């Protein structure tokens, strides 16, 4: 009986210690996030769309205006596209519109439909005084957005150049279902698990690129 009581006491202490560590880590993550938000201001401009801010980054000048659109789940498109932006901006005006929930853009509760995403992107471009017609350069899922944009506003799209783009019929062709991000992620994200994963195994999450492709800061 005494051994059982001692075991339960030890187990209780272990659970309390684990919970304490988890609480400390979550609080630390929130503090670090707040500090980093001030330390790393947006590299572009923030424009208000539907009462929230969308981050629009531009670089270069030229006859063509190329709008780079990221794939699903790209953490910070303006940074991820850095090597491509640097090359294309030598002769063109290059724009990266970070959708709601990406990079420096705010989070929104509005449904992430194709219609909403395109409408928000278009409004962000207009409010940034970036005039078309645009050359849309979509990666992955943005291929669907670009095709919708071109069909709905044909006068505003000069061309589409796909970077391994997703097409509307792709899921039917490959007999696959659309990817779904579990709602549990909305709880896990603020917990700091992503930061912990990056600290423990950075090479698994940083871009696979040769040294010098990205700046050290980015």
């Amino acid at each position: 009986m005494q051994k059982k009581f001692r075991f339960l006491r030890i187990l209780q202490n272990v659970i309390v210690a684990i919970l304490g560590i988890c609480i400390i880590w979550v609080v630390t993550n929130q503090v670090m996030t707040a500090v980093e938000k001030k330390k790393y201001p947006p590299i572009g401009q923030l424009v208000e769309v539907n009462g929230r801010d969308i981050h629009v980054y531009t670089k270069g000048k030229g006859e063509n205006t190329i709008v780079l659109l990221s794939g699903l789940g790209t953490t910070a498109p303006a940074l991820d596209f850095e090597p491509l932006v640097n090359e294309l901006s030598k002769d063109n005006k290059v724009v990266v519109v970070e959708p709601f929930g990406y990079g420096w853009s705010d989070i929104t509760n509005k449904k992430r439909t194709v219609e909403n995403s395109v409408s928000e992107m278009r409004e962000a471009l207009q409010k940034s005084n970036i005039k078309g017609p645009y050359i849309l350069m979509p990666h992955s899922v943005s291929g669907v957005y670009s095709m919708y944009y071109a069909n709905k506003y044909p006068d505003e799209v000069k061309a589409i150049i796909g970077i391994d783009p997703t097409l509307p019929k792709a899921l039917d062709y490959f007999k696959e279902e659309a990817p779904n991000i579990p709602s549990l992620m909305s709880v896990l994200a603020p917990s700091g698990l992503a930061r912990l994963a990056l600290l423990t195994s950075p090479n698994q999450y940083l871009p696979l690129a040769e040294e010098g492709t990205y700046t050290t800061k980015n």
Side-chain angles (χ1 to χ4, degrees), residues 75-142:
T75 308
L79 301 183
D80 184 73
F81 277 131
E82 181 188 16
L84 190 55
V85 168
N86 289 341
E87 287 298 318
L88 294 175
S89 62
K90 293 176 181 178
D91 302 301
N92 308 278
K93 182 174 184 177
V94 183
V95 184
V96 181
V97 180
E98 294 188 326
F100 282 128
Y102 289 67
W104 280 279
S105 296
D106 286 338
I107 295 174
T108 180
N109 293 324
K110 204 169 182 180
K111 288 185 177 181
R112 299 297 79 213
T113 62
V114 174
E115 294 81 2
N116 288 342
S117 296
V118 170
S119 174
E120 293 157 1
M121 174 182 65
R122 183 169 179 260
E123 187 174 344
L125 288 169
Q126 291 175 343
K127 288 190 173 181
S128 300
N129 199 30
I130 300 172
K131 299 178 180 179
Y134 314 110
I135 294 178
L136 302 180
M137 191 172 289
H139 171 229
S140 192
V141 71
S142 290

Side-chain angles (χ1 to χ4, degrees), residues 1-12:
M1 187 71 177
Q2 189 174 3
K3 288 183 178 180
K4 184 178 180 180
F5 177 78
R6 186 184 302 168
F7 172 76
L8 292 175
R9 186 71 178 270
I10 293 173
L11 181 62
Q12 181 183 7

Side-chain angles (χ1 to χ4, degrees), residues 20-218:
I21 292 172
C22 290
I23 292 172
I24 292 173
W25 175 253
V26 171
V27 173
T28 300
N29 177 65
Q30 295 300 317
V31 172
M32 292 178 71
T33 300
V35 170
E36 290 164 348
K37 191 171 183 179
K38 293 183 178 180
K39 185 178 179 181
Y40 302 106
I43 59 176
Q45 63 174 322
L46 298 175
V47 294
E48 187 176 322
V49 176
N50 297 330
R52 297 178 183 270
D53 287 335
I54 281 185
H55 180 236
V56 180
Y57 174 65
T58 61
K59 186 176 182 179
K61 295 179 180 179
E63 180 182 348
N64 294 315
T65 298
I66 300 174
V67 181
L68 290 169
L69 304 173
S70 71
L72 181 68
T74 301
T75 308
L79 301 183
D80 184 73
F81 277 131
E82 181 188 16
L84 190 55
V85 168
N86 289 341
E87 287 298 318
L88 294 175
S89 62
K90 293 176 181 178
D91 302 301
N92 308 278
K93 182 174 184 177
V94 183
V95 184
V96 181
V97 180
E98 294 188 326
F100 282 128
Y102 289 67
W104 280 279
S105 296
D106 286 338
I107 295 174
T108 180
N109 293 324
K110 204 169 182 180
K111 288 185 177 181
R112 299 297 79 213
T113 62
V114 174
E115 294 81 2
N116 288 342
S117 296
V118 170
S119 174
E120 293 157 1
M121 174 182 65
R122 183 169 179 260
E123 187 174 344
L125 288 169
Q126 291 175 343
K127 288 190 173 181
S128 300
N129 199 30
I130 300 172
K131 299 178 180 179
Y134 314 110
I135 294 178
L136 302 180
M137 191 172 289
H139 171 229
S140 192
V141 71
S142 290
V144 177
Y145 304 153
S146 296
M147 292 187 69
Y148 178 85
Y149 196 129
N151 278 283
K152 191 168 181 63
Y153 309 103
D155 294 337
E156 297 179 19
V157 178
K158 187 175 183 179
I160 296 177
I161 302 175
I163 308 173
D164 192 19
T166 300
L167 303 178
K169 299 281 187 180
L171 294 177
D172 292 337
Y173 180 82
F174 291 107
K175 297 180 180 179
E176 295 180 356
E177 294 184 359
N180 183 38
I181 299 177
S183 57
L184 181 63
M185 288 301 295
S186 62
V187 178
L188 293 178
S191 69
L193 286 179
R195 184 189 298 277
L196 185 61
L198 186 60
L199 288 173
T200 55
S201 184
N203 291 334
Q204 300 228 353
Y205 301 96
L206 294 176
L208 296 175
E210 295 179 0
E211 187 175 352
T213 302
Y214 288 89
T215 60
T216 303
K217 182 178 179 180
N218 285 356

